[in-house]
Amino acid sequence: MDVKLKRPLNELDATEIVSKIAVGEVTCEAVVRDCIARIEAREGVVKAWVNFDQKRALDQARALDRAPARGPLHGVPIGLKDTIDTCDMPTEMGSPTYRGNRPRSDAACVALLRRAGALILGKTATCEFAGSAPPETTNPHNVAHTPGGSSSGSAAAVADHMVPAALGTQTGGSILRPSSFCAIFGYKPTYNTINTMGTWPAACSIDTIGWLARSIDDIEMLTAVLRMQAPQPPRPLSRVPRIGVWRTDLWNTAQPETKAAVEEAATKLGKAGATVRDIELPDAFTGLHIVARSTIGFYERAACMASAWDNQREMLSPQMRRYIENGHKISRDEYVAGLRRLDECRALLSGVFAKFDVLLAPCVPGEAPKGLDATGDPSMQAIWTALHTPTMTLPTHRGPNNLPVGIQLVAQRYDDDHLFACARWIWQKIGMPEMVGVRRSR
Amino acid sequence: MDVKLKRPLNELDATEIVSKIAVGEVTCEAVVRDCIARIEAREGVVKAWVNFDQKRALDQARALDRAPARGPLHGVPIGLKDTIDTCDMPTEMGSPTYRGNRPRSDAACVALLRRAGALILGKTATCEFAGSAPPETTNPHNVAHTPGGSSSGSAAAVADHMVPAALGTQTGGSILRPSSFCAIFGYKPTYNTINTMGTWPAACSIDTIGWLARSIDDIEMLTAVLRMQAPQPPRPLSRVPRIGVWRTDLWNTAQPETKAAVEEAATKLGKAGATVRDIELPDAFTGLHIVARSTIGFYERAACMASAWDNQREMLSPQMRRYIENGHKISRDEYVAGLRRLDECRALLSGVFAKFDVLLAPCVPGEAPKGLDATGDPSMQAIWTALHTPTMTLPTHRGPNNLPVGIQLVAQRYDDDHLFACARWIWQKIGMPEMVGVRRSR
């Protein structure tokens, strides 16, 4: 067989792994071996994993190969952000305060993945407590640049073909930003529709679990399992999507590559037959990223971190201490006003989504910034996290340094399935499959 | 001194303890000693505590007495439902699956209480995982009757004057029902306004932490601390409250004592000068208790319990297994329809609360049922938990067996302070202080 034609199994999508294992074309062990080989080759520079045990992974793979198919993800390796509890590996929250922490139970999402036959390959690096102090992880497209965060390791591992998909969490922009920076698909579900039991709370009223993966099909299949649903074949749209382009009040902060990504996507989608219209949202939406990040984010962070602040302050990063100090300065009245304002905006979105299937919006200010000391600006993602809407980023563009820049799609709350269908239509019209993840280097 | 005139310190409210400690009239140690004496006298029949260590409590009390005042709750003993994490005592969730569990960190609410100088007296008995399989706790008004649940021990301990106040959690009716059954005040805040980090999730989209106490002033002071606010003096209402009486579609299931409680309260409040009007809510509110308990409650319970279901099923109670099986039968579409319906009803409540300050509603079907095998029906409380509104129960009435029956007050989301003010006005007009808690037996 021509070696060049044989794709390493670590490059398969989760849906492909499922099909190939089902017909006996590959084994789970073979897939895991190729993932391990990729990790061995690249982890020294990418630094995506904080807990990865080859032997445990291979033992589990062999056990799955021996067993009858357990569920719809039988044999699929998954990475888990290290803020998600696992009973068989440490869960360290990216913080020395949780070093060696062994949760009593798997998080709900982990238990549901295992029930479906998935294999937990390991824990991926996270910013401290899903905040902003970064791990050592690099951007696999250019290791001098941040991969984004706080789901840094999940994004880098998936982009670098170490694992087909990984779970992350988003409170500001911790799934979509690293996905956009690393050229993969990122999905943040409607708030409170994927169970968060056993995941670290950064800000309870907005925390959401979601997926980082290399295909929309994968995200849809994996999400079904977390919903306790049987995965369904993708449903096509019954008509072309109506797309509202909202540039947001952050447009002036966007770099040329982000502006180009949104404008080009809008133009191409219009040419492809979609109804594309520019929209402006009411004044209540102005400055919403500040409500999301500061008023809600800092205030709730200060509460979540109360024990660490009082007992282990010296073990917290300067970034985290600043967050908490900021939280202490927010009055209860400001906080409640922020919650009310978000409610008001959610109500206003009903009118918007009566006219549009999805909104197209900027996802990140631009390419991943150079340096590993910070993970980039979450403002453009944080608006939607706080509004509880489902969002996705698609890896559609590149910037001046040939680093990825994704676009962001937003749907109405609970319309996650419709978001998938629209995203698939849009990807078919403007996506370039060779853009996804790092250039394949064999 | 006439012994009869000296109230045991365990009968003091939290606000009284704070004042007396502040002026040096009592010590924290003296308060704790009287709480311990009461527990020693009564715990054999009440069975409110699952973790209570006299020595630790006294050591902490002495340390607080030696220290400068740490915060607004300096020296106040608090009980904690055993689904709330404590780093210095086990947190066992009322389940053998969590026997000996030692959380890595205090829950946010616990850390904030300690920061304010409160003393964690111990952990109170809970239904298994804040569900329905009851602990051994009895109703201190009549030990042949349930105290209600799932915050069973918190309600019984407060009603029996073992501790002035205790934290509970409510997903269906786990704070208000036991409070109503035990003749104390129960308060469930607006959803997501008191940080839930470190509390067991029964159903993430509705779980709420709240207080069980013997006065409205206590609840207001204690709540301020969880909000990271300085406690404020109670603010009186600027005008008489407008009270809507909604009997709910469960009215026919109410026993005479509950009907009498609501009707008498409405009549008395009208005579006291309040604007009292009967209201009907739109059809969307019909059967909402089923959406709350079954659609949302069972579905999310099944997700939260995924790990235990797959790995420790034989250690779960028959009640819990039935809950989870019921959850598995609810389709994703039903679940999402339930979430949408709750959203719709929340929007409709804006119109209702434009006309009324509070709603007066039945709290429980009637007196606490006889027997300790079940904790009573949560339907009347669960409606409001699912709607995310703040609610309180006031210990206003007694039934045919001389057991307590409270009324329920409901305010608009985020209007918790207004609920306190209305509740205080209402209590001043119709409350009987001698009704609160068990008859004092000295």
Side-chain angles (χ1 to χ4, degrees), chain B residues 127 131-132 146-150 170-181 248-255 258 288-290 292-294 298 323 362-371 373-385 408:
Chain B
C127 292
S132 65
T146 177
S150 64
Q170 178 156 315
T171 303
S174 288
I175 294 170
L176 264 69
R177 188 168 78 268
S179 297
S180 182
F181 284 171
T248 79
D249 55 324
L250 296 166
W251 190 247
N252 289 336
T253 70
Q255 290 159 35
T258 284
L288 211 57
H289 62 288
I290 298 167
R293 293 185 56 203
S294 306
F298 290 158
Y323 268 41
C363 183
V364 285
E367 290 178 328
K370 195 163 183 181
D373 294 341
T375 64
D377 183 350
S379 299
M380 289 170 174
Q381 312 103 58
I383 297 170
W384 309 106
T385 317
Q408 185 168 206

Side-chain angles (χ1 to χ4, degrees), chain B residues 144-177:
Chain B
H145 291 248
T146 177
S150 64
S151 309
S152 315
S154 287
V158 171
D160 204 55
H161 299 90
M162 294 168 166
V163 68
L167 274 178
T169 60
Q170 178 156 315
T171 303
S174 288
I175 294 170
L176 264 69
R177 188 168 78 268

Side-chain angles (χ1 to χ4, degrees), chain A residues 99 104 191-192 227 299, chain B residues 99 104 191-192 227 299:
Chain A
R99 192 153 288 155
R104 182 79 171 214
Y191 174 70
N192 257 345
R227 293 175 176 176
Y299 181 94
Chain B
R99 192 154 289 155
R104 183 77 170 214
Y191 174 70
N192 258 345
R227 291 175 176 176
Y299 181 93

Side-chain angles (χ1 to χ4, degrees), chain A residues 10 29-43 52-59 61-62 121 161-163:
Chain A
N10 60 296
E29 181 179 350
V31 172
V32 168
R33 281 196 184 282
D34 281 5
C35 291
I36 290 173
R38 180 69 181 174
I39 292 171
E40 289 198 323
R42 291 275 293 167
E43 178 63 3
F52 168 69
D53 178 337
Q54 286 195 19
K55 185 179 174 308
R56 188 187 49 223
L58 283 169
D59 286 349
R62 290 186 200 109
L121 193 62
H161 298 91
M162 294 168 167
V163 68

Side-chain angles (χ1 to χ4, degrees), chain B residues 233-239 418 421-422 424-425 428:
Chain B
R235 274 153 293 188
L237 279 182
S238 56
R239 50 171 174 68
H418 194 52
C422 291
R424 189 175 287 108
W425 192 95
Q428 281 162 355

